[in-house]
Every structure is written in C-alpha cells, then in structure tokens.
C-alpha cells in the first residue's frame, strides 16, 4: 500500500538576499562560502531522500532569503519536478533570475510563489518576467506586502498581470493600529479575497491543523517539526523517526498569522478554495 501524501515545507540554512526590502531582516545579507556549500549539501541530501520515496510528495521551499539565485536550488527544483512521486514542487522567490533554467523542469509539477517588491525592481521588469513565465506555461502566483504607499502599485500590478495569475496580499506587519481604513480593506479584498485572514488571523489555539499529520517542516539537517512556528521536535526525516509521530493535531499557538501556516487549517477555507494550489498560493479556478 502506498503511504499517504506528504507536504514538506523545507527551510535550509540559506539566509542571504540580493534585495533590500525595508520590511525584511534578510535584506542584503550574505552567506559565507562555507554556509552556501553546507546549504547545497543539505539540499542534495534532501533531494536524494525524496528520490528514494514512493509516497506522493509535495514540497514548498521557504528560504529565509532568495534561493533561486543559487544554482543548487534551481537544480533541486528541476530534479524534483521530474520525479514521478512529486505532485508539486514550489519555491518562494523574488523572481530576480531569468527563466531559461526552466527549460529542463517538468512544468506539470513545478510552481513558483513570486513576490513583487516595489522599490527593489521596476514594475515593468517584474511584469516582463511574469509574462515570460505565462508564455512558458509556468504555474505561478504573485504577491505583495500591502503597504499603503504601494496601493497604486497593487492596482497597477493587478491590471497588468497576465490573465488568470492570482495576486495575493499580505498585511503590512509593522502597521500601527487602524493602519487600514475599512474602505482600504475592502478594496484590498477585491484584489485578494483572502486578505482578511492575513490581516486579522483567526484564533488558532486548539484549532485543527494538518501540520504534524500530512504537512511537515524540515530543516537542512532533516529535523522535522510540524510547522515553522512550533518548535517541538517530531523526529528526523533521514532516520525515519518522524513517521511514528504523524497524527492529527490541534494548534498549540494562540496566533498563526502566516499563510504558510494557517492555510493548513481545515477549519479555514484554504484547503477548499486553493485545493492543490495551497503550497504555491494559487486558488482553484471557480466555475
Ligand atoms: S526579496 Fe524577500 S528575502 Fe529578499 S529582502 Fe525582500 S522580503 Fe527579504
Ligand atoms: S495553525 Fe499555524 S502555528 Fe498552529 S500548528 Fe498550524 S501552522 Fe503551526
């Protein structure tokens, strides 16, 4: 009997980024050569482990910094996308790299979670890359941090993105109380109907959550936790000790305000509204 489907949220050691976003602790940080080498070795070990699995697996890479500027992430995405047991392999990226590397990828399983950071890249350049992804038939979402000074950018991005590409919005984390007026919230919800869940996260303590059962967080050493936000260890990927830990669980945290967390709560609409696009944040087409 084939084991049940697993979604893995992989976050290795890499924590460097070529961009300088004002809302990010990883802006313009550098990894040493040794750290990058270690990250590449860890990632290869992960890819090798996945290649030996027969169970269906989906993967989202959630690096602290930017992964696709590193060849080892591009090669891992290509290799994983071509494995028959992979349902989806996606990565969060600022889309600063070209698209030629995708020539060798299997676009049936590969997807990109792209974030547009106004101030770091010109809108026209970002959009040109989005149109190139669409021309290639790549599955991708685009998102932005909904800072009020970027409202015009959000509207422009919405109207200029290729048809069918979803634009998700995260609330600005450092906002003061009453940062958004009700009218602004409504117009942001017109762009992303699920914005309210990010702006005003539902209480999570005791809520059911698929993490720890069919969704796991994995670090570069293979340490498994249920999600990026709960520190309790659940064994290791590479010695198989995580298997005995898989079971239905409720959330031990009072608050879960990040999409890569709360989207796995079956009491919220994400499992239904995004279906097989949950990891890359692409709602299913309605109608
Ligand atoms: S692109 Fe992402 S990782 Fe890089 S500085 Fe901006 S928010 Fe941080
Ligand atoms: S609701 Fe969020 S914090 Fe709680 S277990 Fe799930 S992913 Fe983790």
């Amino acid at each position: 009997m084939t084991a049940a489907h697993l979604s893995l949220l992989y976050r290795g050691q890499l924590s460097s980024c070529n961009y300088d976003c004002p809302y990010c602790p990883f802006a313009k940080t550098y990894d040493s050569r040794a750290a990058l080498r270690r990250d590449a070795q860890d990632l290869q070990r992960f890819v090798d482990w996945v290649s030996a699995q027969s169970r269906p697996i989906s993967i989202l890479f959630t690096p602290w910094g930017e992964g696709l500027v590193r060849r080892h992430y591009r090669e891992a995405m290509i290799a994983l996308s071509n494995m028959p047991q992979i349902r989806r392999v996606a990565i969060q990226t600022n889309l600063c790299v070209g698209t030629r590397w995708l020539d060798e990828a299997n676009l049936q399983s590969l997807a990109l979670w792209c974030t547009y950071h106004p101030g770091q890249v010109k809108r026209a350049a970002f959009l040109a890359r989005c149109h190139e992804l669409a021309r290639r038939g790549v599955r991708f979402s685009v998102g932005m941090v909904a800072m009020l000074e970027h409202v015009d950018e959000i509207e422009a991005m919405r109207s200029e993105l290729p048809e069918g590409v979803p634009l998700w919005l995260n609330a600005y984390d450092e906002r003061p109380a009453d940062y958004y007026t009700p009218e602004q919230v409504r117009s942001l919800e017109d762009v992303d109907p699920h914005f309210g869940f990010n702006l005003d996260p539902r209480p999570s303590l005791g809520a059911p959550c698929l993490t720890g059962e069919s969704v796991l967080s994995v670090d570069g050493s293979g340490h498994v936790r249920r999600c990026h936000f709960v520190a309790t260890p659940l064994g290791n990927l590479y010695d198989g000790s995580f298997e005995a830990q898989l079971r239905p669980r409720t959330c031990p945290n009072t608050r879960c305000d990040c999409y890569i967390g709360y989207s796995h709560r079956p009491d919220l609409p994400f499992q239904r509204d995004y279906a097989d696009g949950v990891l890359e944040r692409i709602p299913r087409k309605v109608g």
Side-chain angles (χ1 to χ4, degrees):
M1 192 180 80
T2 311
H5 176 260
L6 258 191
S7 288
L8 301 174
L9 312 175
Y10 181 96
R11 178 175 284 162
Q13 291 211 334
L14 182 110
S15 64
S16 52
C17 189
N18 52 331
Y19 279 13
D20 193 17
C21 304
Y23 37 74
C24 179
F26 304 102
K28 289 283 182 203
T29 48
Y30 298 91
D31 283 311
S32 68
R33 269 189 194 197
L36 287 173
R37 206 176 311 121
R38 170 77 196 274
D39 188 58
Q41 286 165 352
D42 289 347
L43 186 56
Q44 187 58 51
R45 187 181 186 199
F46 176 70
V47 172
D48 290 345
W49 181 86
V50 174
S51 75
Q53 303 303 304
S54 53
R55 72 200 310 158
I57 293 179
S58 297
I59 297 164
L60 173 64
F61 290 107
T62 62
W64 289 122
E66 175 58 37
L68 285 186
V69 289
R70 305 293 169 194
R71 182 186 299 182
H72 55 274
Y73 280 91
R74 298 193 299 271
E75 289 181 345
M77 294 285 293
I78 291 167
L80 290 163
S81 73
N82 283 295
M83 293 179 192
Q85 72 276 35
I86 288 291
R87 295 265 178 85
R88 184 76 74 229
V89 55
I91 187 168
Q92 297 178 320
T93 175
N94 62 23
L95 206 53
C96 66
V97 295
T99 58
R100 272 219 308 254
W101 67 278
L102 291 161
D103 284 349
E104 296 166 63
N106 175 4
L107 300 183
Q108 297 302 311
S109 58
L110 183 137
L112 300 177
W113 158 315
C114 308
T115 307
Y116 170 50
H117 301 284
Q120 304 300 305
V121 58
K122 292 227 178 333
R123 190 198 324 144
F126 185 90
L127 279 164
R129 218 149 252 170
C130 292
H131 283 277
E132 175 60 14
L133 290 178
R135 189 192 66 74
R136 284 175 169 270
V138 178
R139 188 176 162 81
F140 68 106
S141 67
V142 169
M144 295 177 64
V145 177
M147 295 178 80
L148 290 182
E149 64 237 56
H150 293 156
V151 162
D152 291 347
E153 283 293 330
I154 290 169
E155 280 169 13
M157 185 55 60
R158 180 57 284 161
S159 64
E160 294 173 43
L161 272 174
E163 204 186 322
V165 174
L167 178 60
W168 52 260
L169 298 172
N170 280 349
Y172 175 44
D173 266 349
E174 305 300 315
R175 64 187 180 277
D178 302 326
Y179 180 68
Y180 301 105
T181 65
E183 294 72 32
Q184 284 166 333
V185 170
R186 274 194 292 278
S187 48
L188 293 169
E189 283 177 334
D190 284 343
V191 175
D192 176 358
H194 297 86
F195 175 68
F197 290 94
N198 194 271
L199 175 68
D200 184 18
R202 307 302 183 262
S204 61
L205 184 66
C209 179
L210 297 174
T211 62
E213 181 185 8
S214 58
V215 183
L216 297 170
S217 154
V218 183
D219 73 10
S221 301
H223 296 129
V224 172
R225 294 177 296 145
R226 58 181 305 182
C227 65
H228 291 337
F229 319 106
V230 176
T232 314
L234 293 185
N236 192 281
L237 199 67
Y238 302 126
D239 65 10
S241 54
F242 74 97
E243 296 268 11
Q245 307 275 350
L246 302 180
R247 59 176 167 78
R249 293 161 195 272
T250 56
C251 179
N253 290 1
T254 50
R255 188 179 163 89
C256 179
D257 60 2
C258 185
Y259 172 89
I260 58 175
Y262 60 66
S263 60
H264 302 295
R265 280 179 54 177
D267 59 328
L268 300 182
F270 297 90
Q271 296 292 313
R272 181 196 67 215
D273 292 357
Y274 288 63
D276 67 351
V278 164
L279 289 188
E280 65 273 28
R281 210 165 174 171
I282 298 183
R284 72 187 164 93
K285 301 233 178 336
V286 181

